[in-house]
Amino acid sequence: PGDEILKKIMDSSKSILGDNNINHIRIDLKENPANMVWLWGQGITPQLDSFKDKFGVSGSIISAVDLIKGIGRLIGLTVIDVPGATGYVDTNYEGKVTYGLDSLDEKDFVFIHVEAPDEAGHEGNLKLKISAIEAFDYHIVGAVRKYCEENRDTKVLIVPDHATPIVKRTHTRDCVPFIMSGKNIVKDEIEKFSERTAKYSSWKVPEGHKLMEQFID
């Protein structure tokens, strides 16, 4: 109810801002004009269960994405800000993993979020996406693996939140692969980590929110 008003404001903004002198100058300079107002995301703060109450562990979260940081705060995780974390392919990978692993001196759990591969997928840039995945593997996974070799009781879960195919440049509802390792985790038959092999794994979690339950159990 009331969406007609919002739509009218957005539609009207195009004719008003499109004829603005500043936007004419930006167009002449081959810069993107700010020629429309989009209103979205209105809502209320959701009430979410405490992560510690639900799983019995304390935790931190590292991300350059406000949405992820906000969810972390809502469930009681400590938000760690990392210098140079951009939410893009130029993010501070080393800083994220260093701050994350250091936080385990005081916390039981840390969630390190990297947005770079997703952004490259939205751009439809195959080389950039490969580069982002390689950087994640080298800096994040490499450091975590070394940490696990020195701290044998550590459990690790590596998982994307969704697929962002290069050809579609948007999120899709495809199966996503995950790697889980550590105490009491039994190896399955899959040898490679990819979207394609994930479809054939005997270990599937149809409801994504239950993956954490199996991980921390």
Side-chain angles (χ1 to χ4, degrees), residues 162-195:
H162 52 70
T164 313
I166 292 292
V167 294
K168 294 189 176 181
R169 300 179 64 177
T170 190
H171 303 163
T172 62
R173 294 176 60 86
D174 297 334
C175 294
V176 295
F178 64 87
I179 295 176
M180 194 182 293
S181 69
K183 189 175 180 181
N184 298 327
I185 297 174
V186 181
K187 184 179 183 300
D188 70 358
E189 72 281 6
I190 302 301
E191 297 291 336
K192 295 182 179 180
F193 180 66
S194 71
E195 290 86 350

Side-chain angles (χ1 to χ4, degrees), residues 29-30 35 42 45 50 52 57 66 82 130 176 184 192:
L29 295 175
K30 299 188 183 307
N35 57 10
Q42 57 275 7
T45 302
S50 161
K52 188 171 185 179
V57 295
D66 290 337
V82 176
I130 291 174
V176 295
N184 298 327
K192 295 182 179 180

Side-chain angles (χ1 to χ4, degrees), residues 49-62:
D49 294 334
S50 161
F51 188 86
K52 188 171 185 179
D53 290 344
K54 187 175 180 65
F55 298 109
V57 295
S58 61
S60 301
I61 187 168
I62 293 175

